[in-house]
Amino acid sequence: MGEILKMVDGKIVEIIISELDLFIIDIIREYRGRADKYISQVELSQRMGFADGYVGKVENFGSNARYNIRKLHLVAKALGLSSYTKLLPEKILSNDLVLLRIQVNRRKNDTVDFDKNGNVIKNYVILEKRVLTEDEVKLHNNRRSRKN
């Protein structure tokens, strides 16, 4: 079971992702868009000390790149946040890994737009969501050991 299961026409994507990873990707994207001066993916990558395309890879559902604890530290500093808690949900999320079938709405993944109520317009729509079973999670967790 791979991280990315299939991509059709570049618009419909099926991925296995943790709900926490998805939350963090969305909240960082929101902070980039709400900054006094818009922060592009490239600018945030540079502020973190990484290659220009790093944040773009994390926000692209066709990539396996994700933020880790160290990178959350660098993001928090780069965005001028006062606490790591601003990057995390208030409560423990219900699920670990989910299989999502999503439709990516924008070809230019870097833009962050807001609706009339000031809410972020996500660059994807979840078409289907399925929580992985315990057995599927075990397979996913051990996928690297099977490759050796």
Side-chain angles (χ1 to χ4, degrees):
M1 182 181 323
E3 184 78 19
I4 299 165
L5 299 178
K6 73 177 180 178
M7 188 179 294
V8 180
D9 297 329
K11 292 190 177 189
I12 305 294
V13 180
E14 289 186 10
I15 61 169
I16 294 172
I17 189 169
S18 79
E19 280 191 329
L20 184 57
D21 280 331
L22 185 61
F23 178 92
I24 290 169
I25 290 167
D26 287 342
I27 198 75
I28 290 171
R29 189 170 169 271
E30 181 173 345
Y31 275 112
R32 290 192 310 100
R34 291 194 190 280
D36 289 338
K37 181 179 177 280
Y38 179 82
I39 300 171
S40 70
Q41 292 171 336
V42 169
E43 184 177 348
L44 183 56
S45 297
Q46 291 171 345
R47 287 183 183 188
M48 293 171 65
F50 289 100
D52 291 355
Y54 176 74
V55 172
K57 285 181 182 174
V58 174
E59 292 183 9
N60 175 351
F61 295 110
S63 167
N64 290 336
R66 299 288 181 260
Y67 295 111
N68 62 26
I69 297 298
R70 175 178 174 250
K71 290 172 184 159
L72 289 181
H73 168 76
L74 296 172
V75 165
K77 286 184 68 172
L79 293 174
L81 301 179
S82 60
S83 171
Y84 300 118
T85 60
K86 297 190 181 286
L87 298 174
L88 300 171
E90 289 181 25
K91 297 181 180 180
I92 301 297
L93 299 174
S94 302
N95 304 304
D96 178 17
L97 294 176
V98 293
L99 185 142
L100 298 179
R101 184 169 179 260
I102 60 174
Q103 179 175 356
V104 180
N105 293 333
R106 293 184 177 26
R107 292 223 177 256
K108 187 163 172 71
N109 196 38
D110 190 15
T111 59
V112 180
D113 297 315
F114 299 88
D115 66 17
K116 64 183 179 186
N117 297 319
N119 299 312
V120 170
I121 299 171
K122 294 185 179 180
N123 59 342
Y124 63 90
V125 174
I126 297 175
L127 303 173
E128 293 176 37
K129 174 182 173 180
R130 182 176 68 77
V131 178
L132 267 59
T133 65
E134 276 187 47
D135 288 341
E136 289 172 321
V137 169
K138 286 177 187 174
L139 281 172
H140 182 80
N141 290 345
N142 295 313
R143 70 192 183 281
R144 287 196 180 125
S145 64
R146 289 191 315 273
K147 288 180 184 178
N148 296 333

